[in-house]
Amino acid sequence: MLMSAAVARTGGISIILMAVAAAITYGTIHGSLIVDGDAAATISHLTASPLLFRAEILGWVLIIACDIIAAWALYTVLKPVDKGLSLLGAWLRLSYTAVLAVAVSCLVIVSLLTGSRGQELSGFTSGEQQAEVMLLLGAFEAVWSIGLILFGGHLLIVGLLALRSRNMPKLLTFLLLLAAAGYAVVHLSRTLAPGGENVIRVVEWIFMLPMTAGELGLGLWLLFRVPAPRVPGKSAS
């Protein structure tokens, strides 16, 4: 029980830390440096603030590490409910993490392209550099979006396990299932129908609350709600 409590708290801290890191890394730093549809302004920001962009990359590395810890913690805490389903959920989150790592590698290349002092880029014209950077930034968004479909699958599994557990609050279970639907709908649409971005953004805003509250709520539950999940019909020993 003590070991399970420690694992749960570690997972809860990781999820909350990851949410804070994502808000700073993507919401603040990335949003301030990258200007959609304006290659010249984006290049200007990146070349003027190379250390800030590298700080963003380090933030993504922290997020990846937290995701790995969260996958392990959730598997450990939820496996008494259904070991096979819990393992599937863990692998889905680890698969998402691997896809995210591939996406972040695009940002590393962008950092090399824009942080150079000139030697490495002697063969690039200004237009070619801009095109290359914007292509890589687009690849980062597209690959990450594909990974978030897997993340939605992970939340679906966690939500189904929560339904079978008597310990997880029903509101949190509902939020997790809504968040899973949100990630699936938004990012499947973004992958398969990229032309409808305006509609996709509206749908994303609709699901924003359950997607955010579900993940943060899961972290808080792990942090403060330690008892092992129980399967209906099984008495606690």
Side-chain angles (χ1 to χ4, degrees):
M1 177 66 76
L2 290 176
M3 179 64 180
S4 177
V7 170
R9 289 194 181 99
T10 301
I13 292 169
S14 295
I15 290 174
I16 294 168
L17 179 59
M18 178 186 60
V20 173
I24 296 171
T25 298
Y26 188 72
T28 302
I29 301 177
H30 193 86
S32 68
L33 294 175
I34 310 304
V35 182
D36 288 339
D38 193 334
T42 297
I43 295 291
S44 177
H45 291 167
L46 293 175
T47 53
S49 307
L51 292 179
L52 185 60
F53 189 55
R54 288 169 192 164
E56 177 188 341
I57 294 172
L58 288 176
W60 286 113
V61 173
L62 174 61
I63 290 167
I64 288 168
C66 288
D67 264 313
I68 293 171
I69 295 170
W72 162 70
L74 284 168
Y75 166 70
T76 303
V77 171
L78 294 173
K79 70 178 179 180
V81 179
D82 188 316
K83 184 175 181 180
L85 202 57
S86 181
L87 183 60
L88 175 60
W91 275 115
L92 282 171
R93 187 160 192 147
L94 290 174
S95 299
Y96 155 71
T97 305
V99 175
L100 176 59
V102 173
V104 172
S105 69
C106 296
L107 299 182
V108 175
I109 300 172
V110 170
S111 178
L112 293 174
L113 287 170
T114 57
S116 170
R117 290 293 177 265
Q119 275 188 325
E120 297 87 346
L121 301 180
S122 58
F124 282 81
T125 66
S126 176
E128 288 172 340
Q129 183 191 20
Q130 290 183 8
E132 185 77 12
V133 166
M134 296 308 286
L135 179 64
L136 287 164
L137 291 172
F140 162 73
E141 295 280 357
V143 173
W144 184 29
S145 186
I146 292 171
L148 286 169
I149 298 171
L150 296 172
F151 186 73
H154 160 76
L155 290 182
L156 175 62
I157 297 298
V158 173
L160 292 174
L161 288 167
L163 279 175
R164 298 174 59 184
S165 166
R166 292 178 179 174
N167 287 39
M168 196 174 288
K170 296 304 178 186
L171 176 60
L172 178 55
T173 301
F174 177 69
L175 288 173
L176 286 171
L177 292 173
L178 266 183
Y183 278 108
V185 170
V186 169
H187 295 285
L188 276 171
S189 300
R190 189 159 280 159
T191 300
L192 300 176
E197 188 61 31
N198 290 335
V199 176
I200 293 170
R201 285 183 180 176
V202 172
V203 175
E204 189 172 27
W205 274 107
I206 292 171
F207 282 101
M208 184 65 70
L209 179 60
M211 287 193 293
T212 303
E215 184 73 357
L216 277 175
L218 182 60
L220 291 171
W221 178 77
L222 285 171
L223 189 57
F224 297 110
R225 185 73 175 179
V226 175
R230 293 174 295 171
V231 181
K234 290 188 178 181
S235 59
S237 58

